[in-house]
Amino acid sequence: MFKNIAPKRFLFSLFLITAFITITLINLSEADKLFADIQKQLSDGLGWLIILLANGFLVFVIYLAFSKHKNIILGGENAKPEFSNINWIAMLFSAGLGVGLLFYGVAEPVMHLSSNALHEEGASFADKANLSMNLAYLHWGFHGWAIYGVVGLCFAYFTFNRNLPFRVSSFFSGPLTKNIWGRVSLDVIAIIATIFGIATSLGLGANQINSGLGYMEVLEQSFMSTVVIVVVITLMGLISVVLGLKVGIKRLSQMNIVLCAILLSIIFLAGPTSYILDGLLQNLGSYIQNLLSLSTNTQGYADSSWQNAWTLYYYSWWFAWAPFVGLFIARISYGRSIQEFLIGTVLIPTSIVFIWLGVFGNAALYQEFLEPNSLSTAINNDIAISLFVFLEQFPFSQLLMWLAIVIILTFFVTSSDSGALVTSMLTAAKKENTKDEPPMILRVIWAISLGVIALVLLASGGIGALQTSVIVTGVPFAILVSFAARSLLKNLNQ
């Protein structure tokens, strides 16, 4: 049963995760303060580096997509895609976003609108609304997907074209990787980042489901309710990951896309349609026009607490998710050209995100315009209920809330099973056929671990602890990816 497991990677990762869980549970009363201190120190000290790296990866992706290497096929000249374009986009979108967009899609523009740290005194509603949407686009747009694209391309090229295992250590050559523990250390950094990045999304999703059901008076809102939700979803994710990539994850991703399209269409048609279209066009134009200044703003001459809680948190979250999403989209991208891969993983998902944020964000801002503080007060009190307070203003609101709950559940399960699958691949022994499924025992262990870590983080500091975990694990991996990008370019040139 254990012959297909890479023992050093598996045991070292499990030891570090178990140690974290144990120490945190023993010191629950101190954990919240510690997490807040760590987040502030890292953000204040390395914020400039995080922003620089995120911009660097976007430039790197644009260069590769139109370089002399653009027609290289991942898997060799005769490789054919394993999945249709629709299924491919559905899977990478569902795995790449998880519950984050549903959690922040309404909340973020409204919170930016009401933030005193962003707007000059006397600024008009129109100026504040436009800047709020621009920042939401910055956090969910090109930069994040470019990070996924670079990591995913590294996994795909070194595995399919260089016949190396699905591991971060495969990206590198030199003295460090000649030593077994050097290779193991590189892979463990990726595994830890993956585990905590996904656990953060699971924690946010559980919080949102708990708050939503509490708001609908279906379930009493409490930590015990969150525990039950995490356990149930972990079990559902376990079932999906056992069914495998072509049955469980593929079918769930298809259902995700259909349900999201239904909810998006209802909000667009039942909401202020003309206002949404006007806002969407203006937001896109303003975002493109101001992209350089938006993406390089470090708040160097102001209090950086807003920057730490938003831009740096988001970029670190993208980095923490990068080994998971990168490996997953690499696994499903066999037979694609480098240009097709990068356009598919950066431009198409970003376009979908902009439409989603444009509809939900502008519809939420319209509610704030008609009734000032109607949404912002509720959201600032409890960010997890933002979507449900927003949906309450629409016809058949209860039905829409239940649809939202189902979408969150499917995103939740997709993140859990995709994460368990990827972490299993990172800790599995090398196989001759890189498209084989990893051992069942690994998928089960990692699916359960994700749920446990999400609960521990929620118990030890709630959303603050979730944010800290992605910054702490995302920053080291961001530095690692910068060297991986250099290694990829060197290999392509050779």
Side-chain angles (χ1 to χ4, degrees):
M1 182 170 64
F2 296 98
K3 66 179 181 178
N4 293 322
I5 296 174
K8 292 183 177 66
R9 290 168 177 80
F10 174 69
L11 294 174
F12 191 22
S13 304
L14 205 59
F15 169 75
L16 291 176
I17 291 167
T18 305
F20 166 81
I21 291 171
T22 305
I23 293 169
T24 304
L25 289 175
I26 292 171
N27 300 282
L28 270 180
S29 58
E30 300 294 324
D32 190 14
K33 182 178 182 302
L34 178 63
F35 285 145
D37 289 343
I38 292 172
Q39 181 180 350
K40 188 175 188 313
Q41 293 298 324
L42 275 174
S43 298
D44 288 346
L46 296 175
W48 62 272
L49 179 61
I50 297 170
I51 289 175
L52 185 65
L53 289 174
N55 282 290
F57 293 138
L58 179 56
V59 173
F60 185 66
V61 160
I62 295 170
Y63 164 72
L64 277 186
F66 299 98
S67 71
K68 61 183 179 181
H69 311 299
K70 65 183 180 182
N71 295 320
I72 292 175
I73 304 297
L74 300 172
E77 291 181 4
N78 299 318
K80 301 297 179 187
E82 193 177 357
F83 300 96
S84 68
N85 289 337
I86 294 296
N87 284 330
W88 180 54
I89 292 168
M91 284 193 284
L92 69 88
F93 181 76
S94 298
L97 279 176
V99 296
L101 201 57
L102 277 152
F103 192 90
Y104 286 106
V106 168
E108 182 173 348
V110 174
M111 292 182 80
H112 293 339
L113 182 77
S114 60
S115 172
N116 294 326
L118 290 176
H119 309 291
E120 295 181 5
E121 190 174 345
S124 67
F125 179 90
D127 289 340
K128 291 196 289 186
N130 194 52
L131 176 59
S132 300
M133 290 302 300
N134 279 191
L135 290 168
Y137 282 175
L138 174 70
H139 296 154
W140 292 96
F142 292 115
H143 291 80
W145 290 98
I147 293 167
Y148 286 171
V150 172
V151 178
L153 187 57
C154 286
F155 274 120
Y157 180 77
F158 285 108
T159 300
F160 296 139
N161 295 67
R162 296 289 185 177
N163 198 30
L164 294 168
F166 269 124
R167 289 177 186 154
V168 171
S169 56
S170 298
F171 305 169
F172 303 95
S173 58
L176 181 62
T177 54
K178 288 179 181 176
N179 179 284
I180 180 62
W181 282 107
R183 295 195 298 274
V184 169
S185 298
L186 292 172
D187 293 330
V188 167
I189 290 172
I191 293 164
I192 299 296
T194 298
I195 289 292
F196 282 93
I198 301 167
T200 296
S201 285
L202 299 189
L204 292 176
N207 249 359
Q208 192 174 27
I209 293 171
N210 190 8
S211 296
L213 293 175
Y215 190 76
M216 295 161 65
E217 299 182 350
V218 174
L219 184 70
E220 184 181 349
Q221 191 173 340
S222 66
F223 181 71
M224 282 310 299
S225 299
T226 306
V227 172
V228 172
I229 291 166
V230 172
V231 170
V232 170
I233 304 305
T234 300
L235 290 174
M236 291 173 67
L238 197 57
I239 293 169
S240 179
V241 82
V242 166
L243 289 173
L245 179 63
K246 293 185 179 179
V247 179
I249 297 172
K250 177 181 170 182
R251 298 301 178 204
L252 271 175
S253 299
Q254 291 171 337
M255 187 168 79
N256 265 343
I257 292 296
V258 171
L259 293 178
C260 284
I262 291 171
L263 182 61
L264 184 72
S265 301
I266 292 171
I267 300 304
F268 176 70
L269 295 172
T273 306
S274 296
Y275 186 92
I276 289 170
L277 290 171
D278 286 341
L280 183 57
L281 187 60
Q282 181 174 326
N283 300 151
L284 284 171
S286 177
Y287 168 74
I288 293 169
Q289 182 181 351
N290 298 305
L291 181 59
L292 188 60
S293 60
L294 284 168
S295 58
T296 54
N297 179 20
T298 61
Q299 288 202 314
Y301 304 107
D303 179 9
S304 62
S305 56
W306 180 91
Q307 182 89 336
N308 295 352
W310 287 101
T311 306
L312 299 183
Y313 160 56
Y314 273 120
Y315 284 170
S316 299
W317 195 5
W318 288 101
F319 281 121
W321 265 54
F324 148 52
V325 180
L327 196 155
F328 182 77
I329 61 178
R331 169 62 185 81
I332 64 174
S333 299
Y334 182 82
R336 308 276 173 179
S337 70
I338 285 180
Q339 185 177 69
E340 186 182 12
F341 177 89
L342 291 174
I343 290 174
T345 56
V346 179
L347 185 60
I348 294 174
T350 299
S351 302
I352 297 171
V353 167
F354 283 175
I355 293 169
W356 181 277
L357 285 172
V359 172
F360 278 82
N362 281 302
L365 292 173
Y366 185 74
Q367 287 187 16
E368 272 294 287
F369 176 71
L370 292 180
E371 296 181 54
N373 301 319
S374 58
L375 265 176
S376 57
T377 301
I379 291 170
N380 284 310
N381 288 335
D382 182 6
I383 188 174
I385 66 167
S386 57
L387 181 61
F388 303 96
V389 177
F390 167 75
L391 291 175
E392 197 173 28
Q393 308 305 315
F394 286 81
F396 308 106
S397 58
Q398 287 291 312
L399 191 60
L400 290 178
M401 289 181 192
W402 277 112
L403 177 59
I405 291 285
V406 173
I407 294 172
I408 296 165
L409 282 171
T410 54
F411 267 128
F412 202 154
V413 176
T414 305
S415 298
S416 178
D417 59 12
S418 302
L421 177 70
V422 164
T423 316
S424 303
M425 293 169 74
L426 288 170
T427 50
K430 180 183 177 181
K431 291 187 176 183
E432 293 305 317
N433 185 357
T434 55
K435 293 189 283 184
D436 285 346
E437 298 282 1
M440 183 71 68
I441 184 67
L442 282 179
R443 286 181 273 166
V444 171
I445 290 171
W446 290 122
I448 294 170
S449 298
L450 288 168
V452 171
I453 293 170
L455 286 175
V456 170
L457 289 170
L458 286 170
S460 58
I463 292 175
L466 296 172
Q467 290 180 331
T468 303
S469 71
V470 295
I471 290 176
V472 171
T473 55
V475 171
F477 191 73
I479 297 168
L480 202 62
V481 176
S482 64
F483 290 101
R486 179 178 176 274
S487 176
L488 174 65
L489 188 59
K490 181 181 176 182
N491 275 268
L492 287 171
N493 285 329
Q494 287 174 350

